[in-house]
Amino acid sequence: MVIGSGTYIDNFEEQLIGAHPGDKVEVTVIFPDDYQAADLAGKEAVFDVTVNGIYE
């Protein structure tokens, strides 16, 4: 993923800023009300993310 690309749910990318390779980050987001998967629309989700590397 590219931080700042805006391709993920709002606030997902921002929660990874400052993380380092090997860090485990719990990212909490709320899917938009108009999300294409109706069963997820408006719901909170928690993603357990492991940062494998940082590249420029």
Side-chain angles (χ1 to χ4, degrees):
M1 77 175 299
V2 176
I3 301 292
S5 67
T7 56
Y8 289 80
I9 298 168
D10 288 349
N11 200 27
F12 188 101
E13 297 171 19
E14 289 82 354
Q15 294 180 63
L16 296 173
I17 294 173
H20 301 286
D23 287 355
K24 295 181 186 299
V25 181
E26 188 174 273
V27 176
T28 303
V29 297
I30 297 176
F31 286 94
D33 291 333
D34 62 350
Y35 195 68
Q36 65 260 11
D39 58 325
L40 297 175
K43 294 186 179 170
E44 182 178 273
V46 178
F47 294 89
D48 292 322
V49 178
T50 301
V51 178
N52 293 318
I54 298 173
Y55 310 95
E56 289 187 40

